[in-house]
Amino acid sequence: MPSRLAAALVLLAVGVAADVASTYVAIGGGQYVEGSPVGAALIAAFGLVPGMILTKAAGMVVIGIPVAVAGGTRRLVATLMCAGVGLLSLATAARNVLLLVGLWP
């Protein structure tokens, strides 16, 4: 049975891949709008893929700091950071797909 950290790393990888791929397709369809002001600023400053990766890193910091301050172990912090950003990335990918099929306003 894989550890929770390994599962979180897989979730992160799948979420980021789905987010990047669906963003490229949504941009090609002309309907994509970055939902995060931080993400929009980073994408404008560094380009699409580097900006998206930096946005994911910023999300990991936002998730990890409170957990670390609350006394979480390094393993717990890493697990929650990876799982949290992975889930948010999957949600963003789902939003992009809904944009493409016309079900998102």
Side-chain angles (χ1 to χ4, degrees):
M1 177 173 206
S3 70
R4 284 184 231 169
L5 180 57
L9 287 168
V10 170
L11 181 60
L12 175 65
V14 169
V16 170
D19 187 10
V20 170
S22 66
T23 296
Y24 268 113
V25 174
I27 286 172
Q31 299 180 20
Y32 180 76
V33 176
E34 175 61 40
S36 160
V38 171
L42 290 172
I43 289 170
F46 298 104
L48 182 63
V49 174
M52 290 179 76
I53 299 301
L54 289 171
T55 302
K56 306 297 181 209
M60 291 179 113
V61 169
V62 168
I63 292 170
I65 287 176
V67 177
V69 168
T73 65
R74 286 182 291 193
R75 188 175 187 89
L76 176 64
V77 172
T79 301
L80 291 177
M81 285 172 26
C82 292
V85 170
L87 287 172
L88 290 171
S89 296
L90 284 174
T92 301
R95 174 187 161 265
N96 289 340
V97 170
L98 291 174
L99 274 171
L100 290 169
V101 297
L103 296 175
W104 192 271

